Amino acid sequence: QVRLVESGGGSVQAGGSLRLSCAVSGSSSVAMAWFRQAPGKKREGVALIHQDGTTTYPDSVKGRFTITKDTTRSTLYLQMNNLKPEDTGTYYCGTDVPSASASSINLRFQNGVFPYLGQGTQVTVSS
């Protein structure tokens, strides 16, 4: 059974930083990702990491967000720097199914629809 538990959210002023963590158990996926959802908006992918360490970011966070994983601690991280008010939302970590191809992973990431998601952690950035 896949279980994902996020932590590290909070309230910061614009320009500040936060590091989110996600404790992972029961997953043997080839890819993990972070998503966010603002009120009234669709969930969007903000950071993806494949099993080989390859990462993908949308332009909106590129250069500010960094996704990493610590396989020894089964933990996924998202370092967020230079935060902006538009980064406000609920952040979720997610994993794909173990048999997923790279193309299907990328498509599901772009559409914010990984099959396994945590309960989310709130990030609020004030101006």
Side-chain angles (χ1 to χ4, degrees), residues 15-80:
S17 298
L18 282 174
R19 189 176 83 153
L20 306 183
S21 300
C22 175
V24 182
S25 60
S27 172
S28 58
S29 174
V30 296
M32 300 194 67
W34 286 96
F35 302 88
R36 71 183 176 197
Q37 187 166 22
K41 294 189 175 181
K42 288 178 56 177
R43 187 165 57 235
E44 62 173 340
V46 296
L48 168 67
I49 186 165
H50 290 273
Q51 193 174 41
D52 65 359
T54 305
T55 57
T56 299
Y57 306 92
D59 288 343
S60 59
V61 307
K62 197 173 293 183
R64 300 188 299 120
F65 288 13
T66 303
I67 185 172
T68 56
K69 60 181 178 178
D70 184 339
T71 54
T72 60
R73 292 184 171 84
S74 297
T75 303
L76 183 73
Y77 300 100
L78 183 67
Q79 178 67 43
M80 305 185 293

